[in-house]
Every structure is written in structure tokens, then in C-alpha cells.
Amino acid sequence: MLISIAIDFRHADVATRERFHLSEERLTQLYRTARTEVITESALISTCNRTELYAWVDSDDPQVIERSVQVLARRWMRTRTEGDQLLTTATRREGRDAAEHVIRIASGLESQVLGDGQILGQLKAAYKRASRGQAAGPVLHRLFETALRAGKRVQTETSLTAGRNSVGAEAAITASQRFGNLENARCVVIGAGKTGARAAKQLHKLGARDIVVVNRTFENAASLAGMVGGRASTWDALHVEAAMADVVIVATGSEVPVVEAAALQRAREACAATGYALLMMDLSVPRNIDPAVTTESGITLIDLDTLHQPLLSAETMRRDAVPHAQTICAGETDAFMEWLATMPARDAIQPLRAALEDVARREVAFHSKDDSVAEKAASRIVAKLLAGPMAALRRAVQRGEPLDQHAMMLLEMFAPGGGAGATDTRRSGTHRAVAAPAPTPAAPAAPAPRLRPRVAPAASSATVPSPVAAAHEAAPLVASRHFN
């Protein structure tokens, strides 16, 4: 069963979201500890507006799923008490609801800014982290690949992402609306990542001529400043630059505030800027500006929650594209759920596929003398041979019929050597079948094995492994194909 635990802007304010935010170090620890006997896969999506954990539980038992949710929450927060507090705030989803939600996220339908263009890159980064941490397996590989495909389709086939579509750009527009003409305003952007870069570029488009970029890595600040005709400043000068600014936009990945109230007050006093109007915008989670800065006269602070209201106006031009985007998401969700439902069928037919590929490969190699040609030809031949049987198995699964009888019939009819018992279907590291030696005439015929796709494999070489285990074996190949 696919499950998710989500904290997002729709149900939790920024203070709550930052409380449950995970740093890279904590995420690495989560991936190391989350896996159990039944929790076989996990992946976490973390953006400024949401933190969502997805997992595959190898059971449909409600009690097992409930225990798994509790385990994941406690691994997330590290203690039982904090994990229980997380669950009182979080939104839980299962099965199709969880799959459709992540697909809608990728499409921009669940973003604070409808059609947010950054979310697809953030989702891909989350997928890569889970893959590098060996936390994502075949189900989540398939889910994220489906979500990324859906997101790209929405971008190219609809106008959902037309116009302004990022928090950074919207922050710059809000600054222009609140401050007025930016031509003579000093604008400081702290953070040279994607959000900071979008904010700086939008400020430049809106007429700002005095843009200062501050970043921990000075070279990155200098590069962005060059793009917008501004200048770069060192990290040590952050509070001085902010004190002398009219607009400050902060978007870094820091886990603690980088703009401190006391340091900013001292800098404003030193620069004789006390009492002057200063608009500060915090686009980070956790927040990067100390909320106490507002105790000083003249300072206005806008965070993501405050920013949400003006962002709603950007949605108007995209609303007409929502029905088409929703249709795309629903179709991709249907495709994923069908793939999930037929996973046992694919596993049941895997021994037959391995046996046929082995025969085809050896026969083609005998005539071509080229192993690479034989490999490709064997795969193509077997794929065409099994297209019909695979479709029949899918239909059987959809009708709720057991796979044993259908798979056994295919093995008896097509397995080389006159039946399932004549071929050793144990797969090696390269997923190839190995032919077993022929039995002696005196040896009694081995009984045909009973296929049990959802049960762990026994010692018998002819027993079909579970779909999740078999898919996990193939998971590295899936990940490799996706990123190469």
C-alpha cells in the first residue's frame, strides 16, 4: 500500500511547517532508519511550502498500515511524543489518493502559486536524494517517474504555468506594489539559489537599478549580480547591506535565521538608518529572518503566509487551464494504479521471460557471433512473444482471478524443455535464467510448483518470488535508466 504523511501550507502555518522541517542530515538519518520488514521504500519531498513523506508498505492490512504510519512519524521526529504530535497536524493519504496527490504536486496544481514552475525541479531533486540514499524502490521509482512526466505534460500541453510562476518573482512584484517605483530603491537579495535568482531577475525587470546580492559563496553572488547589473557583497556584510536597503528579500537554505534582530538594529544605528522604511520578505522555511526585527520602527516583515494573499491574483490567468491539467493528472494516476495492480502478473511471468530470453539469446548468439546483438534481439523477440500473455494476465488480475493457474499454464506451454520444472528460473545479478541440467531417466519427475506471486520465495528454484522483492532487485536498473 502506498502511503503519505504531509505537512503543507494549506493546513499548517509557516511556524508549524518549520517545526517539522528536516535538514539534509536528518533526512539522511530518516532514510537509514525508516525501512522495516514491511516499510520497504520511502521518499521525502521538502519545499518552502510542504514536507511530505511517501512510503511503500508491503501489506494491505489496516493494522499494519497504521503501525507503519506511526513508525514513520517517530522516525521523522525521532521521539514517540513528537511523532504523535506530527500525526495530529499532518494529512494522511493512502493508495490512489497518495499517488494522485504527488502527481498533482508535480503539475503545479497543489502549489501556493498555481502552476509554480519551480516545483518540478524540486520534486526531481527529492527523487534523486531518495535514490542516492537507496530509499526509493521500484514502486516509488515508478511513481516519481509518472509524476515528473505528468508535470512536463502540463507545462507543454496547457497554459497552467504561463506568466509569473514562482515565489521569488511574486515577492519582487509584491515589493514593487508595496514600495512603489523601484528605480531609486536599493534592493538586497540574500541567497543566490533558484528562488533568490528569480527574485533578483524580477526586480531587475521591474526597474530596480541598485541590486545587491549576498551569498555565503561569493562567486555565486557575483555571478547572479552580473546577470542583473548589480553588485555582490560578502556574507559578513549582510546586516550592514540590509540596514542600508529599502527592500530585502531573503531566500537561503539555512536552518536558523541569518538576519538577526539585534545585529540589524546595531547596523541601522551605525548607518543612521533607524526609523527609515525597510520592507523585508522572508521566503525560507525554516524562516531566515528573526521575527523580532518588527519591534524596530519602520520595518515591515512579510513571510510566506503573508505573501499568500497577493499571490492569489496570479492564479486568475491560469484557472482556465486547470481542467485540462486535472485530466492529465487523472490519466497518469490511472496508468500508475494499473501498473501497481498488475505488478503480481509481471512477477508471475518473470520466470518464463527469463527462460525464453536465455534460449533466444543463445540461439541468436550462435548465428550472429555477437553477444550485444544477441542480447538486444532476444529481448525484442521475447517482448513480442509475451505481449499477448502479459495482456491476458493483466486482464485476469483486473477481474480478481488468481494468477497461479494462468501463470502455470504459460510455463507449461512455453517454458523450454517441456515445462516449468525443466528450467531453473533463479535469476543471477544480471537477471538471466540459467538452464538446469537434464534429469537422469531414473529420477522421478518433479511436481509442478505452485506459483504464489505475493509470497516470499522458498528454496525451490521454480518458486516465483514476491512482486516487491523481484521489483526491488530490478530497482537499480530503473533508477539508472531514469538518470542516464
Side-chain angles (χ1 to χ4, degrees), residues 48-64:
C48 59
N49 286 320
R50 69 182 70 252
T51 302
E52 302 191 0
L53 179 62
Y54 289 80
W56 174 253
V57 179
D58 192 18
S59 174
D60 293 332
D61 186 330
Q63 292 183 345
V64 174

Side-chain angles (χ1 to χ4, degrees), residues 230-400:
R231 67 178 176 86
S233 184
T234 62
W235 189 257
D236 293 341
L238 181 153
H239 289 93
V240 173
E241 295 290 358
M244 298 177 65
D246 298 297
V247 177
V248 176
I249 298 177
V250 182
T252 80
S254 175
E255 297 295 319
V256 296
V258 298
V259 179
E260 300 173 357
L264 180 61
Q265 182 179 5
R266 290 194 298 269
R268 279 167 65 85
E269 291 173 352
C271 298
T274 302
Y276 281 86
L278 172 59
L279 176 61
M280 307 191 76
M281 310 183 75
D282 191 345
L283 309 184
S284 306
V285 174
R287 287 172 290 186
N288 283 179
I289 300 177
D290 184 353
V293 298
T294 57
T295 59
E296 187 176 349
S297 175
I299 297 181
T300 300
L301 175 61
I302 294 177
D303 61 17
L304 286 170
D305 287 344
T306 309
L307 190 61
H308 180 59
Q309 294 306 316
L311 290 180
L312 294 177
S313 61
E315 298 184 2
T316 304
M317 65 184 298
R318 305 187 184 110
R319 290 195 182 277
D320 290 343
V322 168
H324 188 188
Q326 289 176 331
T327 299
I328 292 173
C329 291
E332 293 290 355
T333 303
D334 288 342
F336 172 76
M337 296 306 294
E338 181 182 353
W339 177 89
L340 200 61
T342 56
M343 188 162 58
R346 289 189 302 277
D347 189 66
I349 208 171
Q350 182 59 32
L352 174 59
R353 180 185 297 275
L356 290 178
E357 283 189 354
D358 183 60
V359 172
R361 183 169 50 252
R362 285 188 279 108
E363 291 298 322
V364 175
F366 177 78
H367 294 285
S368 69
K369 308 301 182 183
D370 188 328
D371 289 342
S372 62
V373 171
E375 190 80 30
K376 294 178 182 178
S379 296
R380 288 172 59 86
I381 291 169
V382 173
K384 292 180 179 180
L385 284 173
L386 294 183
M390 191 64 210
L393 282 180
R394 282 198 298 267
R395 290 192 294 271
V397 170
Q398 292 167 353
R399 292 192 300 266

